[in-house]
Amino acid sequence: EYMGLLKDMGTENSDSKSEYRFCYLFTFVLVIAIGSFQAGYALSYYGVVGPFVNVMLKINGNTFIETIVNTVLPFASAIGAFTGKYLVEYGRRKALFILNLVLALGYTITNAPYLASFIIGRLFIGYSAGCFTMVCPCFIREISPPKISGFLGSFVQIMLTFGQFVLFWLGLSGPENYFDDPNSSSWKVFHMIPIVIALLHNAILIFVFPYDSPKFLYFARENEKCIEVLNKIYYQESGYQKILDDYKDEKSKAANEKEENNFKKLCLPGFTWLFFSGFCLATLQQFSGINAVFFYAYRVFTSTRLWSSAILGTVNFVFCCLSCLVVDRLGRKFLLIAGSIVMCISLFISGFGSGATSAFILIYVGAFQLSLGPVVWIFLGETQPPFQLSLNASAVWFWAIIVSLIFPPLNDSLKMKTFWIFAVFLAIGAVFCFFIPETKGKSEREIQALFNINAINNELLDKGKDPLLIVPGKDEKEKERKSYNI
């Protein structure tokens, strides 16, 4: 009977239209994704208020100090993304609650007119932003029905770009001499907005959605609360019974699993190319120069700065939303190649510093959000086991730090020609993307075959060991072994 259930796990339910409460689920996901909004807001914050902050801290014209001030955020974010996995062990909802308090504290500290306090505040903000980028996807994935997990998961990236969108347009609320008179104190409203949102977010988590993910509750032995949450997501018990069986299976396996050296797996055939492809895409995403544009928007746009920055945020958000509609139609590989080519051409032309620079920067941003922005994360999620995924996610933040360090001095010496360096990386990346496999519409088992990992798994199964990737649709002898263990 249990084997029959395993065979049915991948089949479609003819009553899927009434299986889950979509409106409730969609609202719950939006509430969780407020954390992603805060991360996007924090990442672009300095790009809008940079001129005011530099005057307040008396670092105007000091490229070195300015670089340090901006770099502390991605540095703290890298630490947050890496350590966030320990925070979620105490609960996904509790993690969001704590991170909102840390974020509010950070923005409060940055209000003080001292360099040291501003840097400390940026460390708090960066840590919470990095944790948000790990906690929010984890939380959303664990409450999402498998059939719409991709759609709901896309709101992590959408809300992140929405945070940037809101920040850039709020910049237009400043006085007409916004950049001519940076001594104005009106910019401090940008500190208050994320503080208010963080406190409101916590209030919603307490009074409106006081629930953790069903998976966390199950593993924490809070079975009654787990069932309560699942009943709010699904109409009938039959809709989530298979999910409970998955939890039981995973918990049983985790109890008997021994710790293995994950670094040794990177040297196995198939896994080396799998990790390397993910690492190269993570590197390409950051060396495309996207964070240089957002971190230093006020330096990139030397004329009509605010309007250009606001339109930049709009294009970023709109094209991110469009990516959800085309990624499963056109495929990951095509979007990566085409996007890299369009971005390369746009940056090459922008490097001449002509009057059309702003227009080509906007084309570049739109191409990024249709390709390297969302697709890299989709590819990593589809192909990378947890350990490799954590390494490549850390690589994204590491390269973001490097870019934020090298861009200001390069921009001071090369001006707009700095974009040609990023254009070279994009040209190389476009060629590299020809060699990665297409994962559109493929099951995890088919993706394994693309990297020749099936052969490794079968060899381990022959020796009576666990496969490196546990996926649905395993071969019969692995099913028999799993049934025996249960």
Side-chain angles (χ1 to χ4, degrees):
E1 187 174 286
Y2 194 85
M3 292 303 297
L5 179 61
L6 287 175
K7 291 178 181 179
D8 292 335
M9 286 181 68
T11 60
E12 295 285 341
N13 187 338
S14 59
D15 297 324
S16 59
K17 291 184 179 179
S18 60
E19 187 176 328
Y20 43 80
R21 307 174 196 271
F22 180 79
C23 292
Y24 176 87
L25 199 54
F26 183 73
T27 307
F28 198 178
V29 167
L30 287 181
V31 169
I32 296 170
I34 291 174
S36 294
F37 172 92
Q38 295 279 36
Y41 190 100
L43 284 170
S44 298
Y45 168 83
Y46 195 69
V48 172
V49 304
F52 295 114
V53 171
N54 293 346
V55 170
M56 180 187 75
L57 300 179
K58 299 178 181 180
I59 60 173
N60 225 5
N62 191 328
T63 302
F64 176 75
I65 298 298
E66 180 185 337
T67 303
I68 295 299
V69 168
N70 197 36
T71 305
V72 293
L73 188 135
F75 173 77
S77 296
I79 297 174
F82 186 76
T83 60
K85 59 184 178 182
Y86 301 109
L87 189 60
V88 296
E89 290 179 0
Y90 297 97
R92 284 59 165 152
R93 176 173 158 271
K94 288 181 181 177
L96 290 178
F97 190 90
I98 293 171
L99 292 175
N100 278 323
L101 295 179
V102 173
L103 185 87
L105 176 63
Y107 278 109
T108 302
I109 294 174
T110 56
N111 268 304
Y114 305 104
L115 178 61
S117 62
F118 192 83
I119 291 177
I120 292 173
R122 292 273 285 175
L123 286 171
F124 280 107
I125 296 168
Y127 179 83
S128 58
C131 278
F132 276 134
T133 61
M134 184 270 171
V135 176
C136 292
C138 176
F139 201 163
I140 291 175
R141 184 178 67 248
E142 291 180 356
I143 69 168
S144 300
K147 295 173 185 176
I148 56 171
S149 60
F151 170 76
L152 295 177
S154 67
F155 280 88
V156 172
Q157 181 75 3
I158 289 175
M159 289 295 282
L160 189 145
T161 58
F162 184 58
Q164 297 172 325
F165 166 82
V166 169
L167 179 64
F168 279 125
W169 279 100
L170 283 174
L172 294 175
S173 64
E176 292 183 3
N177 59 345
Y178 188 90
F179 282 92
D180 297 330
D181 182 22
N183 291 293
S184 169
S185 61
S186 62
W187 64 274
K188 290 191 176 182
V189 70
F190 296 126
H191 286 192
M192 299 307 300
I193 290 172
I195 293 175
V196 172
I197 292 176
L199 297 179
L200 287 175
H201 192 194
N202 275 356
I204 294 173
L205 291 172
I206 293 173
F207 300 108
V208 184
F209 288 96
Y211 312 109
D212 216 307
S213 78
K215 182 174 182 178
F216 170 78
L217 294 172
Y218 183 88
F219 278 79
R221 302 186 182 222
E222 299 185 41
N223 294 344
E224 291 184 4
K225 290 184 179 180
C226 173
I227 297 299
E228 181 183 353
V229 175
L230 288 172
N231 280 329
K232 289 184 174 293
I233 295 175
Y234 294 90
Y235 282 109
Q236 299 176 350
E237 182 180 346
S238 59
Y240 60 79
Q241 188 57 52
K242 294 178 183 178
I243 294 176
L244 287 176
D245 289 335
D246 283 345
Y247 292 166
K248 178 181 178 182
D249 185 12
E250 185 176 343
K251 191 173 184 178
S252 174
K253 182 179 183 300
N256 299 317
E257 197 173 52
K258 294 182 179 179
E259 184 113 4
E260 295 182 14
N261 190 335
N262 286 301
F263 286 99
K264 289 184 178 180
K265 296 179 182 179
L266 299 180
C267 301
L268 294 174
F271 268 84
T272 301
W273 170 236
L274 182 146
F275 172 75
F276 181 73
S277 62
F279 179 81
C280 288
L281 287 179
T283 303
L284 176 61
Q285 186 192 65
Q286 293 305 307
F287 276 91
S288 67
I290 189 65
N291 279 330
V293 172
F294 280 101
F295 285 164
Y296 299 97
Y298 72 96
R299 296 175 64 130
V300 172
F301 297 113
T302 55
S303 61
T304 63
R305 285 166 166 166
L306 274 186
W307 275 105
S308 296
S309 296
I311 296 172
L312 178 73
T314 303
V315 171
N316 189 52
F317 175 62
V318 170
F319 277 83
C320 180
C321 294
L322 290 176
S323 68
C324 301
L325 305 177
V326 300
V327 69
D328 285 325
R329 294 174 180 267
L330 301 178
R332 288 73 162 133
K333 188 171 182 176
F334 173 82
L335 288 176
L336 287 172
I337 295 172
S340 296
I341 292 174
V342 172
M343 293 166 68
C344 176
I345 295 173
S346 298
L347 287 186
F348 179 76
I349 297 175
S350 298
F352 289 102
S354 64
T357 295
S358 294
F360 280 101
I361 289 295
L362 294 178
I363 294 173
Y364 158 84
V365 170
F368 177 85
Q369 287 300 347
L370 282 174
S371 56
L372 291 176
V375 176
V376 167
W377 289 109
I378 292 173
F379 182 86
L380 292 178
E382 290 176 334
T383 63
Q384 307 287 299
F387 179 69
Q388 284 88 327
L389 179 58
S390 67
L391 289 179
N392 283 320
S394 300
V396 170
W397 285 107
F398 173 78
W399 293 129
I401 296 170
I402 299 300
V403 170
S404 66
L405 283 172
I406 66 175
F407 181 77
L410 286 175
N411 185 251
D412 287 340
S413 58
L414 300 177
K415 304 302 180 185
M416 299 302 288
K417 291 182 177 62
T418 306
F419 288 140
W420 289 351
I421 298 175
F422 298 127
V424 171
F425 277 100
L426 285 165
I428 296 172
V431 175
F432 172 78
C433 289
F434 274 101
F435 298 96
I436 65 172
E438 175 59 71
T439 60
K440 181 190 76 169
K442 290 182 170 57
S443 67
E444 291 188 63
R445 184 176 178 83
E446 291 171 329
I447 291 173
Q448 287 186 49
L450 294 174
F451 290 96
N452 198 33
I453 293 174
N454 278 342
I456 302 173
N457 279 345
N458 289 333
E459 182 179 345
L460 291 172
L461 290 170
D462 287 336
K463 296 178 180 179
K465 298 181 179 179
D466 285 332
L468 297 174
L469 285 178
I470 303 295
V471 298
K474 311 173 191 69
D475 53 41
E476 289 301 317
K477 59 186 174 184
E478 204 267 326
K479 284 184 180 180
E480 291 173 4
R481 181 174 60 81
K482 181 176 181 182
S483 177
Y484 175 78
N485 288 339
I486 292 172

